[in-house]
Amino acid sequence: MTGTKSMGLYAATSIGVGGMIGAGIFSIFGTAVKISGNAIYISFIIAGLVALLNAYSYAKLGVRYQSAGGPIEFILKGFGDGVLSGGLNLLLWISYIFALALYSKGFASYAVTFLPPGSAQLWEQIFASAIILIFTAINFIGAKAVGKSELFIVSIKFVILLLFAAAGIVYMDTGNLSISTWPDSKNIFFGAGVVFLAYQGFGLITNAVEDINNPETTLPRAIYLSIVLVIIIYISVSFAVIGNLSTFEIEKSKDYALAAAAKPFLGAIGFKIMALAALISTSSAINASLYGGANISYLLAKEGRLPFLFERKIWKRGTEGLFITSGLVILLANFLPLDGIGMLASTSLLIIYVAVNTSHLRLLKETGAKCWIIRASLLSSLIFFGALIYYEYVSSKLTVELLLITVFFCFCVEWIYRKLSGRSIKERTE
């Protein structure tokens, strides 16, 4: 299925970092501060620890079952062929499509700020579609292009965010960080459940395992390294924002919290710099997520989960799934309102985390993982899922309804398709 393995440690790590530091940190920071207040950095630490627990499970499974399917392969190995595995497969693919649509809309909203005031609204649709088409072309070239482009993008993004964080910390008002103004501990934890959205993306590295050199050692290192780097970035950015803006100011400009935080020490140019960082971040998230989503759609097709059309191969790879995924993303980004869609996508992915950890408990003898760590990972994922559901219910009942409809749709389609076609998921031969 693959040619020469072309990804080393840094390219593989950049896939995970690109998937995590994307639209999330720019879009949810203000919302999280409204909950966690000036203790937002504590929330990022808690969420990062939970991400590391899940990373252990993904790393062990990724080394044992090396497949472009990533979590899909893990679920299939643990639960076997059935409506449950098939429905979760579809849910994961749809989650990627939702996330990609959100990222492309986020890219477009920042891109139009560089146009003259009063520019036609049509430009948002043009930018949203164009960025998907650009990375579709990059992904079509192959894994090597993905790794190199992601490494380049992530490097630029890291420099911008680190400079922003460093400058912000130098000029920050330490009084804004006072422990005496922290909210209740439950709010800090609840905020951790919200910012956990910004850590989802490290699992994309397992989708690239078949293109990674020496995956037995490179895969775990890439997963852990990507999360640690992201934790450092999030904590640093938190200090920079909280240190230069009051929580009231952050909530007031929550859609552009990072850009607003740059104004006190960088002036008007600060907004443009952080807008550029947002463009780069959303771009890398699109690059990494599209790569994972395309691989997943291919594996679903190869194992018999999608119509025959998906099964034809282009350039000796399953890139037709890439084109269909990209087409659906463009349709969603241009014709559907996406308020709350990021929360919807992230909650769906948490369902996958719970399923992966549950599956792993059945595979402990094969992976050699420590049972207590997997149980801790499962419990933490369940708690965060409950926290997000509660948050969605309080803030937007419609989002909860959409989640239920999405899950119901995935399993209904899987059940009906099995009844009509008689097909089943074939396990990968070792």
Side-chain angles (χ1 to χ4, degrees):
M1 184 174 64
T2 59
T4 302
K5 295 189 175 184
S6 53
M7 286 190 187
L9 175 62
Y10 297 114
T13 300
S14 68
I15 292 290
V17 172
M20 286 184 278
I21 303 182
I25 185 65
F26 291 95
S27 61
I28 68 171
F29 195 94
T31 299
V33 169
K34 187 176 181 180
I35 301 168
S36 299
N38 63 340
I40 182 64
Y41 60 94
I42 301 297
S43 295
F44 273 116
I45 293 173
I46 295 173
L49 293 175
V50 174
L52 284 171
L53 283 174
N54 280 278
Y56 176 80
S57 186
Y58 269 67
K60 288 289 187 180
L61 289 166
V63 170
R64 176 62 182 85
Y65 308 109
Q66 298 179 19
S67 164
I72 288 179
E73 188 77 15
F74 309 153
I75 292 170
L76 180 59
K77 291 294 183 181
F79 293 109
D81 178 29
V83 174
L84 176 62
S85 296
L88 289 170
N89 288 344
L90 292 177
L91 179 62
L92 182 56
W93 186 43
I94 290 178
S95 296
Y96 279 130
I97 292 174
F98 283 149
L100 282 162
L102 177 68
Y103 295 158
S104 65
K105 291 286 281 188
F107 176 91
S109 65
Y110 277 96
V112 294
T113 64
F114 289 91
L115 298 179
S119 297
Q121 190 175 0
L122 178 64
W123 279 105
E124 284 196 22
Q125 294 177 316
I126 293 175
F127 283 131
S129 300
I131 193 63
I132 293 297
L133 291 175
I134 288 171
F135 283 111
T136 297
I138 291 175
N139 277 263
F140 180 76
I141 295 172
K144 190 172 184 179
V146 174
K148 285 188 174 181
S149 61
E150 191 65 17
L151 184 57
F152 175 73
I153 292 171
V154 170
S155 297
I156 296 177
K157 174 171 56 179
F158 248 77
V159 170
I160 293 177
L161 288 178
L162 283 176
L163 289 176
F164 163 77
I169 290 173
V170 168
Y171 288 95
M172 72 179 181
D173 179 358
T174 55
N176 289 351
L177 303 175
S178 175
I179 297 178
S180 63
T181 57
W182 278 11
D184 292 339
S185 57
K186 64 178 181 181
N187 285 2
I188 297 176
F189 177 78
F190 187 70
V194 174
V195 301
F196 185 68
L197 311 179
Y199 285 103
Q200 296 188 21
F202 65 84
L204 291 171
I205 300 175
T206 63
N207 296 118
V209 66
E210 294 185 3
D211 298 306
I212 293 176
N213 291 316
N214 192 18
E216 288 75 16
T217 56
T218 303
L219 178 66
R221 290 177 181 176
I223 292 177
Y224 298 137
L225 179 59
S226 65
I227 295 176
V228 170
L229 288 174
V230 169
I231 290 175
I232 294 172
I233 285 292
Y234 287 164
I235 293 175
S236 301
V237 169
S238 297
F239 282 144
V241 177
I242 292 295
N244 287 277
L245 294 178
S246 66
T247 54
F248 173 78
E249 291 172 316
I250 294 173
E251 292 173 25
K252 185 178 179 181
S253 58
K254 65 178 183 178
D255 292 337
Y256 305 98
L258 272 65
K263 287 185 178 180
F265 55 91
L266 291 177
I269 192 74
F271 178 85
K272 293 299 183 182
I273 292 175
M274 293 315 297
L276 177 61
L279 291 180
I280 296 173
S281 294
T282 50
S283 294
S284 75
I286 290 170
N287 192 19
S289 298
L290 189 58
Y291 177 66
N295 273 330
I296 284 170
S297 64
Y298 167 55
L299 188 68
L300 291 176
K302 188 187 73 171
E303 306 291 21
R305 292 300 1 108
L306 296 177
F308 184 77
L309 172 66
F310 286 69
E311 295 184 353
R312 295 199 303 270
K313 295 182 179 180
I314 300 178
W315 296 95
K316 299 182 180 180
R317 298 181 65 89
T319 49
E320 191 160 296
L322 165 66
F323 299 144
I324 296 175
T325 297
S326 300
L328 291 174
V329 170
I330 290 174
L331 287 175
L332 288 173
N334 284 282
F335 297 105
L336 289 182
L338 296 177
D339 293 342
I341 205 68
M343 190 74 74
L344 177 63
S346 296
T347 310
S348 300
L349 287 172
L350 261 176
I351 295 176
I352 303 299
Y353 282 14
V354 170
V356 167
N357 282 302
T358 303
S359 176
H360 199 169
L361 289 175
R362 300 183 173 196
L363 302 167
L364 290 175
K365 291 183 178 179
E366 294 192 36
T367 64
K370 296 184 183 298
C371 181
W372 71 269
I373 298 181
I374 305 305
R375 290 183 182 277
S377 180
L378 174 60
L379 179 61
S380 63
S381 296
L382 285 170
I383 292 174
F384 270 34
F385 175 76
L388 286 178
I389 289 294
Y390 178 76
Y391 175 82
E392 291 172 5
Y393 182 79
V394 171
S395 61
S396 175
K397 292 183 176 64
L398 177 61
T399 305
V400 178
E401 293 172 359
L402 288 174
L403 174 65
L404 293 175
I405 291 173
T406 299
V407 174
F408 180 76
F409 172 80
C410 289
F411 285 96
C412 278
V413 167
E414 176 65 18
W415 182 80
I416 293 172
Y417 188 65
R418 281 174 177 263
K419 288 292 183 181
L420 294 178
S421 67
R423 297 176 70 182
S424 61
I425 301 178
K426 306 170 186 175
E427 285 203 22
R428 181 185 178 88
T429 56
E430 299 293 342

